Amino acid sequence: MPSGLVALALGGFGIGLTEFLIAGLLPQVASSFAVSEAAAGWLISGYALSVAVGAITLTAATARLPRKQVLVGLVALFVIGNLLSAIASNYQVMLLGRIVAALCHGSFFGIGSLVARTLVAPEMKSRAVAVMFAGLTVANVLGVPFGTLVGERWGWRAAFWAVTAIGVLALAGIAILVPAWAGRPQAQRGDGSSPVQPLGLAAQVRAFRSWQVWLTLSATALSYGGMFGAFSYIAYTFTEVSGFATADVSWLLMVYGVGLVVGNLVGGRAADRDRDRALVLALLALTVTLILFGLLAESPIASVVMVFALGVTGFASVPGMITRVTDFAHGAALAASANVSASNVGNALGAWLGGLAITAGFGYTSPLYVGAGIALTSWVVMVFAARQAAQHDGPDA
């Protein structure tokens, strides 16, 4: 494993912690700044909105800059945002810190995925992306318990100081360990190729003329929508259907997080063997998992197994989707970042539709079936995209 990949994974871990740890700290933060729960909730929703905006705008603004320099700048922005949160004297500064930290999120994973794939042989590009995303999936497992534990022992500010320190380490690691040539379209593994400038903004926008780019973005949004249509209300499924106590939800979410880690790594390896086939099978497996979860949700044992399977099947398509969209976009970083934005759009869509099903009186298993429907749609899109690509000999850059 190239040392530069480890540095990228550490950056992903820090960014993931920033996103997830706040959920366990909201009561303390709300009390500290004397704001309502709804206002404190903007520290989560404001972050998510900033991710969607920053993924496109920052990638577009840095289109002509060397990708390593952009990554260093993005992690520096991340450090500044968390530092603001750690020293915030009022709620407004705290929210500003969250927004600043979130701006780098989408661009980091979009541009970072392009850099990661150039650090390894071409036949290992999806696995390289999976390694970088491993930091994010591990953060999903540890984020909430980490924030809660540190917050309870040393106060919520200590959690943000810790994440700031992780950001500084990631910044140093990327600056030192990621080669200067990383991310150049024709500089695989530093083979001495002549320097190639990153695609300009106009060229990156032209990449969106590809029908396959739009199909992949659609499949990404729908796959996330299927997973989060169910996951957004999973705590209610556990407590109201499966019979678990509220205190059990935290460890059940950790089981889900472990599934994410496994799915990410397995999906990356499978995508390197036969990407479109792996994506089609992963989305079909997600659909089946959600249906079975809905049917078996009354069984506590089955629920534990199925929430793990949800993590595995829900994230197995992520590495392949990223390499697919960037291949058809001919390495455009804007397409990779758009994939991150698409996933956030899918999250919002799935949560909205799942909430509508509950409001309509269909019960707390209904989001699972709603998610299955969305995932099935993603599978249909992916099957169509794969067949079209096969007919036209799609790129495998």
Side-chain angles (χ1 to χ4, degrees):
M1 184 187 301
S3 56
L5 268 183
V6 178
L8 291 173
L10 180 61
F13 176 67
I15 291 174
L17 277 182
T18 299
E19 180 177 15
F20 299 118
L21 66 80
I22 189 65
L25 299 173
L26 273 187
Q28 290 188 44
V29 173
S31 175
S32 178
F33 294 130
V35 297
S36 67
E37 291 83 355
W42 271 101
L43 298 175
I44 296 177
S45 54
Y47 185 98
L49 290 172
S50 296
V51 169
V53 173
I56 301 298
T57 56
L58 287 185
T59 303
T62 57
R64 279 292 185 184
L65 299 178
R67 287 171 178 166
K68 176 181 175 178
Q69 292 182 19
V70 174
L71 285 178
V72 170
L74 290 172
V75 179
L77 192 65
F78 164 79
V79 170
I80 292 170
N82 280 284
L83 182 60
L84 280 174
S85 294
I87 65 175
S89 58
N90 55 55
Y91 170 79
Q92 289 74 21
V93 175
M94 178 73 176
L95 181 59
L96 176 62
R98 293 288 292 168
I99 291 173
V100 170
L103 288 173
C104 76
H105 184 126
S107 292
F108 177 85
F109 285 108
I111 296 171
S113 65
L114 294 174
V115 170
R117 57 187 286 170
T118 63
L119 298 177
V120 299
E123 64 271 15
M124 296 180 65
K125 59 189 177 185
S126 292
R127 271 174 279 183
V129 172
V131 170
M132 189 195 75
F133 270 81
L136 177 65
T137 55
V138 170
N140 193 293
V141 180
L142 300 178
V144 175
F146 171 83
T148 304
L149 177 63
V150 173
E152 288 177 351
R153 294 198 174 186
W154 298 289
W156 64 265
R157 293 182 189 275
F160 284 97
W161 278 112
V163 175
T164 301
I166 292 172
V168 171
L169 289 176
L171 179 65
I174 292 171
I176 296 170
L177 301 176
V178 174
W181 50 259
R184 291 176 184 163
Q186 299 178 17
Q188 296 285 341
R189 298 171 66 86
D191 59 3
S193 302
S194 58
V196 178
Q197 290 298 318
L199 293 175
L201 180 57
Q204 297 204 42
V205 171
R206 283 196 297 270
F208 287 89
R209 293 177 181 176
S210 168
W211 182 233
Q212 286 289 339
V213 168
W214 286 105
L215 286 173
T216 310
L217 292 175
S218 298
T220 294
L222 291 167
S223 66
Y224 271 84
M227 178 171 62
F228 277 88
F231 180 73
S232 297
Y233 305 96
I234 202 70
Y236 294 103
T237 306
F238 285 141
T239 57
E240 303 298 328
V241 181
S242 304
F244 287 102
T246 302
D248 293 322
V249 173
S250 58
W251 69 263
L252 288 165
L253 293 181
M254 292 187 69
V255 172
Y256 167 78
V258 172
L260 293 180
V261 175
V262 174
N264 176 52
L265 297 176
V266 171
R269 182 173 291 273
D272 280 330
R273 292 174 180 170
D274 188 336
R275 184 173 58 204
D276 280 4
R277 179 181 173 83
L279 290 173
V280 167
L281 291 176
L283 295 173
L284 181 60
L286 174 60
T287 303
V288 173
T289 297
L290 288 165
I291 293 172
L292 289 176
F293 200 166
L295 295 173
L296 302 173
E298 292 184 0
S299 167
I301 295 176
S303 293
V304 174
V305 174
M306 296 315 299
V307 78
F308 173 77
L310 177 60
V312 173
T313 58
F315 221 82
S317 62
V318 171
M321 287 293 190
I322 291 177
T323 58
R324 192 178 199 279
V325 77
T326 50
D327 280 352
F328 280 100
H330 303 292
L334 195 59
S337 296
N339 203 66
V340 179
S341 291
S343 67
N344 280 271
V345 171
N347 294 351
L349 174 67
W352 177 61
L353 292 177
L356 287 181
I358 293 175
T359 302
F362 292 109
Y364 289 113
T365 58
S366 61
L368 293 165
Y369 295 116
V370 169
I374 301 173
L376 180 61
T377 307
S378 179
W379 175 78
V380 171
V381 172
M382 192 64 240
V383 169
F384 176 75
R387 288 180 177 176
Q388 290 293 106
Q391 291 174 4
H392 296 88
D393 297 323
D396 190 27

